[in-house]
Amino acid sequence: MTQGRPVTTWAAAAERAGAGLRDLTVRNLVRTGAGGTGLRVRLTNALGDRPVTFGHVRVGVPRSGAALVPGSNRRVTFGGRPEATLAPGATALGDPLPGLVAPRQRLAVSLHLRGDGGVLTGRNRATAPPDDPAYRSLPGDHAADESGAAYVEGVAVWHWLDALIVTAPEPVSAVAVLGDSITTGVGSETGHGWPDLLADRALLESWPLAVVNEGVSGGRVLAAGTGRHAEERLAAEVLAKPGIGAVILLAGVNDLGAGARAEPLVAAYRRIVERAHAAGVAVIGGTLPPFAGAEYHTAGGERAREAVNAFVRDGGVFDGLADFDAALRDPAAPRRLLPRYDCGDHLHPSAAGHRAMAAALEPRVLLGAAGQRPGLGRRAAGSGRWMPRGR
C-alpha cells in the first residue's frame, strides 16, 4: 500500500469531560474504520482551560482490558519530539507510524499527562462493562507498559483523542456522523450504537468507507451543550479532518425538547449544507425519530419535528436521505417509537432500534454521497494486521 491519501479512520467529538487529572497515564481503546498505512494520532485541547503537556504517547494493540499484545506498543513523535504541549483550543498531529492498520482493528492510544490536565477535552461514550473505552493509571508514566497492571480505573470517556488518520487507497473515504446521544449509542445496552453497526456493515459488505462517530450526548444544533453547537462542530470536528467525503446529519431533537421552532432548525440545516458543500463534502439528511412520551416531548415540539422532517425529505437541499423516522416509528402510533425499538425512555432506540437505524441507510445513497460506488472489494481498505515491534 504505497499510494493513497489521508483518510480519517477514527474520530470523536469534543466535549468537556470533567477535570482533576494530574501526572498519570490514560489508555484510550478505539476501533478503526478504514485500513491503511502511516497511522497518525491527532490530539486536542479544544475545550481546555490551560496548556496540557503529554510526555509520551504510544499506540499498541489491546489484548485484554488495558493489557497490550507484546511487541505492539509504538512510540508517537510530534515533529520528531517525544512530547507535545497543546495550548487551550489547540490540536497536535503525530508523525506517521510505519506499518499497516487493518479495517475495524482495535488500537490502544496511551497518553502520559505531565502535570495538571485542567478541564478535560474528551468524549463520553455510552458503554457497558466490561467494554470500558479507556483506563486511567496510577501516578506516573505508564505509556510504555504492555501490562495493564498500572491501569486501575476503567472509565466511559476518551481522553484528549481527536482523530486517527491513515494513508488509505484512493477509492477509500470517510463518512462522519454529526449527531447527539442517539449517535453515541445511548440505549443500545452494549454501547455500540448505530454508527458502529454501520461501520461493521461497511466492512462486511465491502464498502470503501470508514464511518466516524462525531456524536456528543446532549448535542444541539442551535446552542452549545457539553460540546459546541452543530455548526461550529461541523467546521472543527468534520471539515478539519482529512478524507471525509460525506456527513450524516442527525441532530435537532434536543433543540426541540428545549422549545426550538422548526424555522431556526431548517435555517441552520441550510447553513450546514452550504458550508459542507463549499468544502466539497456531501450531506445526508437524517429525519428526526419519534419521541412522544419522552420527558421533554411537547405538542409544539412534535409539530416542529414533523415540519423539520418534511424539509429533510422534500426540501431539495440534502444530497441523500436517511429516513430514521420511518425506520423506527410505530405504524399504529407514528409519533412514538415502535415498542421493540424503544429502550424505555421513549427517546433513545434500543439495541434492536440501533440495528434498524444502521440498516436504514441504502448503500447507493451513502456511497454516492461520498463519491464512491458499490462493489469495490474489501482489499481496497487493507486486509493486514498492524503488529510491528515496540520501541
Side-chain angles (χ1 to χ4, degrees):
M1 192 177 299
T2 58
Q3 295 182 341
R5 64 191 183 105
V7 172
T8 301
T9 189
W10 180 91
E15 62 180 320
R16 294 174 182 85
L21 300 184
R22 181 182 181 85
D23 187 31
L24 83 171
T25 308
V26 294
R27 181 159 284 173
N28 300 290
L29 305 184
V30 302
R31 189 181 294 273
T32 64
T37 58
L39 179 73
R40 307 187 76 175
V41 176
R42 194 164 108 161
L43 306 179
T44 181
N45 192 25
L47 305 178
D49 61 348
R50 68 196 68 191
V52 177
T53 296
F54 302 104
H56 288 103
V57 178
R58 286 186 172 252
V59 181
V61 178
R63 184 173 59 179
S64 176
L68 305 180
V69 172
S72 69
N73 201 18
R74 301 298 302 272
R75 183 182 63 181
V76 177
T77 58
F78 298 83
R81 296 173 55 84
E83 68 175 41
T85 298
L86 283 68
T91 61
L93 181 63
D95 302 322
L97 289 170
L100 179 67
V101 175
R104 305 302 286 149
Q105 181 172 350
R106 295 181 69 230
L107 294 174
V109 183
S110 304
L111 314 174
H112 168 231
L113 172 66
R114 183 180 296 167
D116 190 346
V119 173
L120 166 62
T121 299
R123 223 287 308 271
N124 288 297
R125 168 159 172 98
T127 188
D131 297 320
D132 290 310
Y135 293 86
R136 295 172 181 171
S137 78
L138 297 167
D141 183 358
H142 299 281
D145 293 8
E146 293 181 340
S147 164
Y151 292 89
V152 294
E153 181 186 8
V155 290
V157 60
W158 287 307
H159 307 71
W160 292 293
L161 190 58
D162 184 51
L164 298 179
I165 299 160
V166 295
T167 297
E170 193 62 39
V172 178
S173 63
V175 56
V177 184
L178 193 62
D180 48 36
S181 58
I182 294 176
T183 296
T184 67
V186 172
S188 63
E189 299 172 4
T190 63
H192 299 294
W194 69 268
D196 304 286
L197 301 175
L198 184 63
D200 290 338
R201 183 183 171 199
L203 178 61
L204 181 66
E205 299 182 15
S206 302
W207 304 346
L209 282 179
V211 179
V212 297
N213 190 330
E214 295 286 3
V216 58
S217 291
R220 296 189 194 180
V221 175
L222 303 174
T226 58
R228 299 169 280 202
H229 63 76
E231 290 182 67
E232 187 176 356
R233 291 180 55 215
L234 175 75
E237 298 170 7
V238 177
L239 302 183
K241 295 173 182 175
I244 293 177
V247 177
I248 303 171
L249 178 64
L250 177 59
V253 69
N254 289 323
D255 298 85
L256 299 181
R261 295 176 293 110
E263 291 82 1
L265 269 179
V266 166
Y269 283 5
R270 288 185 182 275
R271 293 192 298 269
I272 287 171
V273 172
E274 289 172 1
R275 187 160 191 176
H277 284 176
V281 174
V283 185
I284 297 171
T287 53
L288 300 178
F291 69 115
E295 183 178 358
Y296 60 22
H297 182 268
T298 64
E302 180 59 37
R303 288 192 296 271
R305 185 185 74 91
E306 293 172 6
V308 168
N309 284 351
F311 170 77
V312 173
R313 290 187 180 105
D314 303 318
V317 169
F318 291 98
D319 302 288
L321 172 66
D323 202 342
F324 298 122
D325 172 41
L328 295 177
R329 69 192 178 205
D330 185 345
R335 295 180 176 181
R336 290 181 173 269
L337 293 168
L338 193 68
R340 72 172 180 272
Y341 292 161
D342 187 345
C343 79
D345 64 5
H346 312 302
L347 173 65
H348 298 98
S350 63
H354 280 276
R355 289 194 294 271
M357 293 181 74
L361 276 151
E362 298 182 25
R364 62 179 180 80
V365 173
L366 187 59
L367 294 167
Q372 304 296 340
R373 56 183 175 83
L376 291 172
R378 189 176 306 171
R379 291 181 183 273
S383 58
R385 287 282 170 184
W386 183 52
M387 291 284 289
R389 284 193 171 277
R391 61 188 176 95

